[in-house]
């Protein structure tokens, strides 16, 4: 059943066990290749050349207060375009998510809790104007010291709704 555009869809359990999109799978493989001996990769372990294929779709977050909040360090241009806003430099606590801020925060906390990649596949619940747009994403923890997660890095891929 389709929602009208004035009613944002409810968040669903959008977490997935694995990636569907080849782009997401390739990004996961890159991140996993940087986890050596149980050490989480740091942002510096991922070179700009390695990240080049995904630059417009990358999302890098600073972890604040152990995951109570997050700052958008980098929002790729394709993510900003899909959401009609560039949140670079803002904290999640400062942003409007049409009543779904807790869902957004939980999404960003998951890689801290799991200490590994978190895959999601769902619909854009935080943007009622694009509530029918599907996305697939991955968010991975980064740790400057190899242990304490101080950043996350993710990749978002958007699809036209086919339903």
């Amino acid at each position: 059943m389709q929602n009208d555009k004035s009613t944002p869809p409810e968040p669903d359990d959008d977490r997935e066990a694995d990636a569907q999109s080849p782009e997401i799978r390739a990004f996961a493989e890159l991140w996993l290749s940087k986890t050596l001996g149980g050490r989480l990769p740091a942002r510096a372990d991922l070179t700009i050349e390695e990240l080049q294929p995904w630059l417009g779709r990358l999302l890098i977050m600073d972890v604040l207060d152990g995951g109570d909040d997050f700052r958008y360090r980098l929002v790729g241009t394709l993510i900003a375009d899909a959401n009609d806003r560039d949140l670079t430099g803002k904290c999640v606590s400062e942003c409007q998510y049409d009543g779904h801020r807790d869902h957004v925060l939980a999404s960003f906390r998951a890689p801290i809790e799991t200490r590994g990649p978190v895959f999601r596949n769902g619909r854009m619940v935080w943007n009622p104007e694009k509530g029918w747009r599907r996305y697939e994403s991955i968010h991975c923890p980064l740790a400057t010291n190899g242990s304490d997660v101080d950043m996350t890095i993710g990749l978002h891929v958007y699809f036209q709704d086919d339903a």
Side-chain angles (χ1 to χ4, degrees), residues 63 66-67 70 108-116 118 140-141 149 151-152:
V63 177
F70 297 83
F108 293 140
R109 280 188 199 112
I112 298 169
E113 295 163 358
T114 64
R115 299 182 59 78
V118 174
C140 304
V149 179
M151 296 173 86
T152 64

Side-chain angles (χ1 to χ4, degrees), residues 52-108:
Q52 176 68 35
W54 305 291
L55 288 182
R57 294 184 164 100
L58 283 179
L59 179 67
I60 300 176
M61 308 286 291
D62 291 319
V63 177
L64 305 177
D65 300 322
D68 286 344
D69 204 357
F70 297 83
R71 181 179 303 108
Y72 291 94
R73 178 179 280 248
L74 171 77
V75 178
T77 55
L78 296 174
I79 296 171
D81 288 348
N83 288 279
D84 293 329
R85 61 186 176 209
D86 183 359
L87 299 176
T88 301
K90 295 190 188 259
C91 292
V92 170
S93 60
E94 299 174 283
C95 301
Q96 296 297 319
Y97 292 100
D98 200 37
H100 299 293
R101 184 177 295 139
D102 290 342
H103 180 75
V104 172
L105 282 167
S107 295
F108 293 140

Side-chain angles (χ1 to χ4, degrees), residues 113-134:
E113 295 163 358
T114 64
R115 299 182 59 78
V118 174
F119 302 98
R120 294 192 179 280
N121 190 338
R123 300 199 183 277
M124 293 175 63
V125 298
W126 56 91
N127 188 340
E129 295 303 315
K130 296 187 179 178
W132 295 276
R133 182 172 285 175
R134 284 188 326 102

